[in-house]
Amino acid sequence: MKRENINAKNAPDPHGGYSQAVKLEAYDRLVLISGQIPADSDDKVPDGFEAQARQVWRNIDAQLKAAGMDKSNLVKLTTYLADRQHAGANRELRSEYLGAVAPAMTVVICGIFDERWMLEIEAVAAQ
């Protein structure tokens, strides 16, 4: 697969470890990951934003592994936050998880399906 992160010079510079666009060529597989919630396999939801975010990233890792991929294959993320106050912590934890991986990204502040959840993240991966 050929991957190119695109950040046009005449558009806002991305801040926070993402790309304005990701161009893919010659990929074999595309995996669409439904919104991953902050619950474990026993449907337990941890307390606090950091614990919930870490659980969501573990769930994304599990889906990627099941598809024979890892976080380096992520090309698009959409994060849904229940409250704007979590934006800074979300950025820090996402950066910690992604490292040098810079997918295209959107963050939306909204009501989330289950009021216990402080976030949900859907992802697209390619290989």
Side-chain angles (χ1 to χ4, degrees):
M1 172 179 78
K2 182 178 175 190
R3 174 185 179 142
E4 179 185 355
N5 293 346
I6 298 171
N7 296 298
K9 300 284 187 217
N10 59 341
D13 193 35
H15 300 284
Y18 69 97
S19 298
Q20 292 289 13
V22 176
K23 179 179 166 183
L24 301 175
E25 293 180 21
Y27 62 90
D28 293 323
R29 295 186 299 149
L30 186 67
V31 176
L32 307 175
I33 300 172
S34 293
Q36 296 299 292
I37 62 172
D40 65 16
S41 59
D42 294 324
D43 202 32
K44 292 185 178 147
V45 176
D47 292 330
F49 184 81
E50 182 176 343
Q52 287 197 15
R54 291 187 189 284
Q55 182 61 57
V56 167
W57 291 117
R58 282 192 295 274
N59 293 344
I60 289 171
D61 274 340
Q63 301 306 330
L64 289 167
K65 184 177 180 182
M69 296 182 178
D70 61 35
K71 68 183 177 182
S72 70
N73 298 108
L74 291 171
V75 295
K76 175 70 170 95
L77 296 171
T78 303
T79 301
Y80 302 93
L81 296 177
D83 194 310
R84 187 177 311 280
Q85 74 177 352
H86 302 304
N90 176 64
R91 184 180 306 114
E92 288 176 23
L93 292 161
R94 181 185 65 229
S95 293
E96 177 186 311
Y97 171 77
L98 290 174
V101 179
M105 191 177 317
T106 301
V107 178
V108 179
I109 311 299
C110 63
I112 297 181
F113 181 77
D114 186 316
E115 61 188 29
R116 298 175 300 161
W117 306 342
M118 297 178 186
L119 77 162
E120 183 173 347
I121 302 174
E122 64 183 21
V124 177
Q127 189 173 52

